[in-house]
Amino acid sequence: MERILTIERHILDTQREHPLATGVLSRLLYDIALAAKIIARETTRAGLVNILGSAGQTNVQGEEQQKLDVFAHRTIFRMNDHTGRLCLMASEEHEDIIPIPDKYPCGKYVLVFDPLDGSSNTDVNGNVATIFAIHRKITPGDQGQLDDVLQPGRDIVAAGYVVYGPSTMLVYSTGHGVHGFTLDPSVGEFLLSHPDIRIPAKPKYYSCNQGNERYWPAGVRRFVEWLQAKDDPVRKPIDARYSGALVADVHRILLQGGVFFYPGDLRDPAKPYGKLRLIYECAPLAFLVAQAGGYASDGLGSVLDLAPHTLHQRIPFFIGDRTLVEQAERFIQEHDGEWVQTYSAVRHGAPGAAARA
Ligand code: AHG
Ligand code: MN
Ligand code: MN
């Protein structure tokens, strides 16, 4: 019989290769995997139980209904608030940083997460996901502070995502390659199914919400025409796929090759940065894709080099095959001078403003 590798075993083996590791990070990753199993249980039941209503409504038993994203947020928080491994959390579903309750000890790591990515897909039984990243505490004192969260993706210690699809998959990296595990519901374990994922050299898909095309800067529109090989009868066009759930789309790119992007747009000059959030979505995925041999950019440079200036900062996002992402950067540089100027002014925080508020 072939050797079956559970996620626990895999994390442990990886840790053994790094004798300085204390085991805290490994246990933190177990906690996240366990939270993911609980969320997976709820997402697969979502069509059956009365969980799809909006938060604040009451179900027939008089209990408060929770939206799945609220449920996922609470599950991850509760699995991690008392373990002594974290000094702070931050979630897309919470406005401020989330301290560890006073009654519990603080640890040396920081957890940031998007509890349920693509949550609008729950209404149509489409894929949803969780994204997470772990940083080391960098500020003095026991309790974590905002600066512990506002760290560039380059300094991430571990990151990953869990896709709740036809099967549940957890994909993670501690900086030693990217590894994918599939949840076997009959034994309740994540089993190694995709060791050492590398983004394929031949790009297969491009992925974006093309409904927004008219709002995009000219360079991004030119990039799409280039992907479609409009002016080149010899080069083959690249097929398009878009699910409305970032992780599902990036997962496809990771396994099959290509590029995902959610660019900045020109609708509101005060908001030239698009939709996706640097801390909870872009930086963790940029870390993973870099580990798989790919690249992520905000159109001007590497996402991993961006030090967030605010907790819920949004950025334009291009991720996947390095050649394609760099091609997008070239089109932007060539055609979008005005947009680049507007975006550059907010990229590192508004000048004169209390940037870290
Ligand atoms: P979330 O559900 O965490 O708010 O994220 C939704 C994001 C992302 O998953 C997806 O790629 C994007 O929103 C889709 O946006 P559009 O509907 O504008 O295409
Ligand atoms: Mn999201
Ligand atoms: Mn979300």
Short mmCIF file of all heavy atoms in Angstrom, two decimals, residues 162-200:
data_model
loop_
_atom_site.label_atom_id
_atom_site.label_comp_id
_atom_site.label_asym_id
_atom_site.label_seq_id
_atom_site.Cartn_x
_atom_site.Cartn_y
_atom_site.Cartn_z
N VAL A 162 -7.81 27.27 2.03
CA VAL A 162 -8.62 26.06 2.03
C VAL A 162 -9.76 26.32 1.05
O VAL A 162 -10.47 27.31 1.21
CB VAL A 162 -9.21 25.77 3.42
CG1 VAL A 162 -9.91 24.42 3.43
CG2 VAL A 162 -8.13 25.84 4.49
N VAL A 163 -9.90 25.50 0.02
CA VAL A 163 -11.03 25.66 -0.91
C VAL A 163 -12.10 24.66 -0.52
O VAL A 163 -11.82 23.46 -0.42
CB VAL A 163 -10.68 25.32 -2.37
CG1 VAL A 163 -11.63 26.00 -3.34
CG2 VAL A 163 -9.25 25.62 -2.70
N TYR A 164 -13.32 25.16 -0.31
CA TYR A 164 -14.44 24.29 -0.02
C TYR A 164 -15.18 24.09 -1.35
O TYR A 164 -16.03 24.89 -1.72
CB TYR A 164 -15.35 24.91 1.04
CG TYR A 164 -14.56 25.40 2.25
CD1 TYR A 164 -14.26 26.77 2.41
CD2 TYR A 164 -14.08 24.51 3.20
CE1 TYR A 164 -13.51 27.23 3.49
CE2 TYR A 164 -13.32 24.96 4.28
CZ TYR A 164 -13.05 26.31 4.41
OH TYR A 164 -12.30 26.76 5.48
N GLY A 165 -14.77 23.08 -2.09
CA GLY A 165 -15.35 22.80 -3.40
C GLY A 165 -15.99 21.43 -3.38
O GLY A 165 -16.41 20.97 -2.33
N PRO A 166 -16.02 20.76 -4.54
CA PRO A 166 -16.53 19.38 -4.56
C PRO A 166 -15.82 18.53 -3.50
O PRO A 166 -16.42 17.69 -2.86
CB PRO A 166 -16.21 18.90 -5.98
CG PRO A 166 -16.15 20.15 -6.80
CD PRO A 166 -15.62 21.22 -5.88
N SER A 167 -14.50 18.75 -3.34
CA SER A 167 -13.86 18.26 -2.12
C SER A 167 -13.15 19.44 -1.48
O SER A 167 -12.97 20.48 -2.11
CB SER A 167 -12.89 17.11 -2.42
OG SER A 167 -12.01 17.46 -3.43
N THR A 168 -12.78 19.28 -0.20
CA THR A 168 -12.11 20.37 0.50
C THR A 168 -10.61 20.18 0.38
O THR A 168 -10.10 19.10 0.66
CB THR A 168 -12.51 20.37 1.99
OG1 THR A 168 -13.92 20.57 2.06
CG2 THR A 168 -11.82 21.47 2.76
N MET A 169 -9.92 21.23 -0.06
CA MET A 169 -8.46 21.13 -0.20
C MET A 169 -7.76 22.21 0.59
O MET A 169 -8.19 23.36 0.57
CB MET A 169 -8.08 21.30 -1.67
CG MET A 169 -7.72 20.01 -2.36
SD MET A 169 -6.94 20.35 -3.93
CE MET A 169 -5.22 20.42 -3.44
N LEU A 170 -6.70 21.83 1.28
CA LEU A 170 -5.86 22.81 1.99
C LEU A 170 -4.51 22.87 1.28
O LEU A 170 -3.88 21.84 1.06
CB LEU A 170 -5.71 22.38 3.45
CG LEU A 170 -5.05 23.40 4.40
CD1 LEU A 170 -5.55 23.17 5.83
CD2 LEU A 170 -3.54 23.35 4.37
N VAL A 171 -4.11 24.07 0.93
CA VAL A 171 -2.84 24.28 0.24
C VAL A 171 -2.02 25.24 1.10
O VAL A 171 -2.53 26.29 1.48
CB VAL A 171 -3.08 24.88 -1.17
CG1 VAL A 171 -1.76 25.21 -1.85
CG2 VAL A 171 -3.91 23.93 -2.03
N TYR A 172 -0.78 24.87 1.45
CA TYR A 172 -0.02 25.77 2.33
C TYR A 172 1.47 25.74 2.00
O TYR A 172 1.96 24.85 1.31
CB TYR A 172 -0.27 25.42 3.81
CG TYR A 172 0.67 24.36 4.36
CD1 TYR A 172 1.76 24.71 5.14
CD2 TYR A 172 0.47 23.01 4.08
CE1 TYR A 172 2.63 23.75 5.66
CE2 TYR A 172 1.33 22.05 4.59
CZ TYR A 172 2.41 22.42 5.37
OH TYR A 172 3.26 21.47 5.86
N SER A 173 2.13 26.75 2.53
CA SER A 173 3.59 26.81 2.40
C SER A 173 4.18 27.44 3.66
O SER A 173 3.63 28.38 4.21
CB SER A 173 3.99 27.64 1.19
OG SER A 173 5.40 27.75 1.15
N THR A 174 5.31 26.88 4.10
CA THR A 174 6.06 27.54 5.18
C THR A 174 7.36 28.09 4.59
O THR A 174 8.35 28.26 5.30
CB THR A 174 6.39 26.55 6.33
OG1 THR A 174 7.01 25.38 5.76
CG2 THR A 174 5.15 26.14 7.09
N GLY A 175 7.36 28.30 3.28
CA GLY A 175 8.56 28.81 2.63
C GLY A 175 9.43 27.69 2.09
O GLY A 175 10.57 27.92 1.67
N HIS A 176 8.91 26.46 2.10
CA HIS A 176 9.63 25.31 1.54
C HIS A 176 8.71 24.60 0.56
O HIS A 176 8.30 23.46 0.77
CB HIS A 176 10.06 24.36 2.66
CG HIS A 176 10.87 25.03 3.72
ND1 HIS A 176 12.22 25.28 3.59
CD2 HIS A 176 10.51 25.57 4.91
CE1 HIS A 176 12.66 25.92 4.65
NE2 HIS A 176 11.65 26.12 5.47
N GLY A 177 8.34 25.29 -0.49
CA GLY A 177 7.45 24.71 -1.49
C GLY A 177 5.99 24.83 -1.08
O GLY A 177 5.66 25.25 0.04
N VAL A 178 5.13 24.45 -2.01
CA VAL A 178 3.68 24.55 -1.79
C VAL A 178 3.10 23.14 -1.85
O VAL A 178 3.40 22.38 -2.78
CB VAL A 178 3.03 25.41 -2.90
CG1 VAL A 178 1.53 25.51 -2.69
CG2 VAL A 178 3.65 26.79 -2.92
N HIS A 179 2.31 22.79 -0.84
CA HIS A 179 1.80 21.42 -0.76
C HIS A 179 0.28 21.43 -0.58
O HIS A 179 -0.25 22.22 0.19
CB HIS A 179 2.47 20.70 0.40
CG HIS A 179 3.97 20.84 0.35
ND1 HIS A 179 4.75 20.12 -0.53
CD2 HIS A 179 4.82 21.67 1.00
CE1 HIS A 179 6.02 20.49 -0.40
NE2 HIS A 179 6.08 21.43 0.53
N GLY A 180 -0.39 20.52 -1.30
CA GLY A 180 -1.85 20.49 -1.28
C GLY A 180 -2.37 19.20 -0.67
O GLY A 180 -1.85 18.10 -0.93
N PHE A 181 -3.39 19.32 0.15
CA PHE A 181 -3.99 18.19 0.87
C PHE A 181 -5.48 18.16 0.59
O PHE A 181 -6.13 19.21 0.55
CB PHE A 181 -3.77 18.34 2.38
CG PHE A 181 -2.32 18.34 2.75
CD1 PHE A 181 -1.56 19.49 2.58
CD2 PHE A 181 -1.71 17.20 3.23
CE1 PHE A 181 -0.21 19.50 2.89
CE2 PHE A 181 -0.36 17.19 3.54
CZ PHE A 181 0.39 18.35 3.37
N THR A 182 -6.03 16.98 0.44
CA THR A 182 -7.46 16.85 0.20
C THR A 182 -8.09 16.20 1.42
O THR A 182 -7.55 15.21 1.95
CB THR A 182 -7.71 16.01 -1.07
OG1 THR A 182 -7.03 16.65 -2.16
CG2 THR A 182 -9.19 15.93 -1.40
N LEU A 183 -9.21 16.75 1.86
CA LEU A 183 -9.88 16.22 3.05
C LEU A 183 -10.61 14.94 2.69
O LEU A 183 -11.44 14.92 1.77
CB LEU A 183 -10.87 17.26 3.59
CG LEU A 183 -11.63 16.89 4.85
CD1 LEU A 183 -10.70 16.70 6.05
CD2 LEU A 183 -12.68 17.96 5.19
N ASP A 184 -10.25 13.86 3.38
CA ASP A 184 -11.00 12.62 3.22
C ASP A 184 -12.09 12.63 4.29
O ASP A 184 -11.81 12.42 5.48
CB ASP A 184 -10.06 11.42 3.42
CG ASP A 184 -10.80 10.10 3.25
OD1 ASP A 184 -12.04 10.09 3.42
OD2 ASP A 184 -10.14 9.08 2.97
N PRO A 185 -13.34 12.87 3.89
CA PRO A 185 -14.39 13.04 4.91
C PRO A 185 -14.65 11.76 5.69
O PRO A 185 -15.11 11.81 6.83
CB PRO A 185 -15.64 13.46 4.11
CG PRO A 185 -15.27 13.40 2.68
CD PRO A 185 -13.84 12.96 2.54
N SER A 186 -14.30 10.60 5.12
CA SER A 186 -14.58 9.35 5.82
C SER A 186 -13.66 9.16 7.02
O SER A 186 -14.03 8.53 8.00
CB SER A 186 -14.49 8.15 4.87
OG SER A 186 -13.16 8.03 4.42
N VAL A 187 -12.46 9.72 6.96
CA VAL A 187 -11.57 9.63 8.13
C VAL A 187 -11.34 10.98 8.80
O VAL A 187 -10.71 11.06 9.84
CB VAL A 187 -10.20 8.98 7.78
CG1 VAL A 187 -10.35 7.52 7.47
CG2 VAL A 187 -9.52 9.71 6.64
N GLY A 188 -11.84 12.05 8.17
CA GLY A 188 -11.71 13.38 8.78
C GLY A 188 -10.29 13.90 8.77
O GLY A 188 -9.90 14.68 9.63
N GLU A 189 -9.49 13.49 7.80
CA GLU A 189 -8.09 13.94 7.74
C GLU A 189 -7.78 14.58 6.39
O GLU A 189 -8.30 14.13 5.36
CB GLU A 189 -7.15 12.73 7.89
CG GLU A 189 -7.09 12.14 9.27
CD GLU A 189 -6.17 12.91 10.21
OE1 GLU A 189 -5.76 14.03 9.86
OE2 GLU A 189 -5.87 12.38 11.28
N PHE A 190 -6.90 15.57 6.41
CA PHE A 190 -6.35 16.10 5.16
C PHE A 190 -5.19 15.20 4.74
O PHE A 190 -4.23 15.03 5.50
CB PHE A 190 -5.82 17.52 5.38
CG PHE A 190 -6.88 18.58 5.41
CD1 PHE A 190 -7.25 19.19 6.60
CD2 PHE A 190 -7.51 19.00 4.23
CE1 PHE A 190 -8.22 20.18 6.63
CE2 PHE A 190 -8.48 19.99 4.25
CZ PHE A 190 -8.84 20.58 5.45
N LEU A 191 -5.27 14.63 3.54
CA LEU A 191 -4.22 13.73 3.06
C LEU A 191 -3.46 14.38 1.90
O LEU A 191 -4.08 15.02 1.03
CB LEU A 191 -4.84 12.41 2.60
CG LEU A 191 -5.73 11.69 3.63
CD1 LEU A 191 -6.31 10.41 3.03
CD2 LEU A 191 -4.95 11.38 4.90
N LEU A 192 -2.15 14.19 1.91
CA LEU A 192 -1.32 14.82 0.87
C LEU A 192 -1.73 14.30 -0.51
O LEU A 192 -1.64 13.11 -0.80
CB LEU A 192 0.16 14.51 1.12
CG LEU A 192 1.15 15.14 0.15
CD1 LEU A 192 1.11 16.66 0.21
CD2 LEU A 192 2.57 14.64 0.42
N SER A 193 -2.21 15.21 -1.35
CA SER A 193 -2.64 14.81 -2.70
C SER A 193 -1.85 15.53 -3.78
O SER A 193 -1.75 15.07 -4.91
CB SER A 193 -4.14 15.10 -2.88
OG SER A 193 -4.41 16.45 -2.52
N HIS A 194 -1.28 16.70 -3.44
CA HIS A 194 -0.55 17.50 -4.43
C HIS A 194 0.78 17.98 -3.82
O HIS A 194 0.90 19.13 -3.41
CB HIS A 194 -1.38 18.72 -4.84
CG HIS A 194 -2.67 18.39 -5.53
ND1 HIS A 194 -3.73 17.77 -4.91
CD2 HIS A 194 -3.07 18.63 -6.81
CE1 HIS A 194 -4.71 17.62 -5.77
NE2 HIS A 194 -4.35 18.13 -6.92
N PRO A 195 1.78 17.08 -3.75
CA PRO A 195 3.07 17.50 -3.18
C PRO A 195 3.80 18.46 -4.12
O PRO A 195 3.71 18.33 -5.34
CB PRO A 195 3.86 16.18 -3.04
CG PRO A 195 3.20 15.24 -4.00
CD PRO A 195 1.78 15.69 -4.22
N ASP A 196 4.48 19.43 -3.53
CA ASP A 196 5.37 20.34 -4.25
C ASP A 196 4.76 20.90 -5.54
O ASP A 196 5.25 20.64 -6.64
CB ASP A 196 6.68 19.61 -4.55
CG ASP A 196 7.83 20.61 -4.66
OD1 ASP A 196 7.61 21.81 -4.37
OD2 ASP A 196 8.93 20.19 -5.03
N ILE A 197 3.72 21.66 -5.39
CA ILE A 197 3.03 22.24 -6.55
C ILE A 197 3.92 23.31 -7.21
O ILE A 197 4.44 24.19 -6.54
CB ILE A 197 1.70 22.91 -6.11
CG1 ILE A 197 0.76 21.86 -5.49
CG2 ILE A 197 1.03 23.62 -7.28
CD1 ILE A 197 -0.47 22.45 -4.82
N ARG A 198 4.07 23.20 -8.52
CA ARG A 198 4.78 24.22 -9.30
C ARG A 198 3.81 24.73 -10.37
O ARG A 198 3.14 23.93 -11.02
CB ARG A 198 6.01 23.63 -10.02
CG ARG A 198 7.01 22.95 -9.13
CD ARG A 198 7.77 23.89 -8.24
NE ARG A 198 8.57 24.86 -8.98
CZ ARG A 198 9.17 25.90 -8.39
NH1 ARG A 198 9.05 26.10 -7.09
NH2 ARG A 198 9.89 26.74 -9.10
N ILE A 199 3.76 26.01 -10.55
CA ILE A 199 2.85 26.55 -11.56
C ILE A 199 3.34 26.10 -12.94
O ILE A 199 4.52 26.25 -13.26
CB ILE A 199 2.73 28.08 -11.41
CG1 ILE A 199 1.70 28.65 -12.36
CG2 ILE A 199 4.03 28.80 -11.56
CD1 ILE A 199 1.22 30.04 -11.95
N PRO A 200 2.47 25.48 -13.77
CA PRO A 200 2.93 24.95 -15.06
C PRO A 200 3.50 26.05 -15.96
O PRO A 200 3.03 27.18 -15.94
CB PRO A 200 1.65 24.38 -15.69
CG PRO A 200 0.73 24.17 -14.56
CD PRO A 200 1.06 25.21 -13.53
#
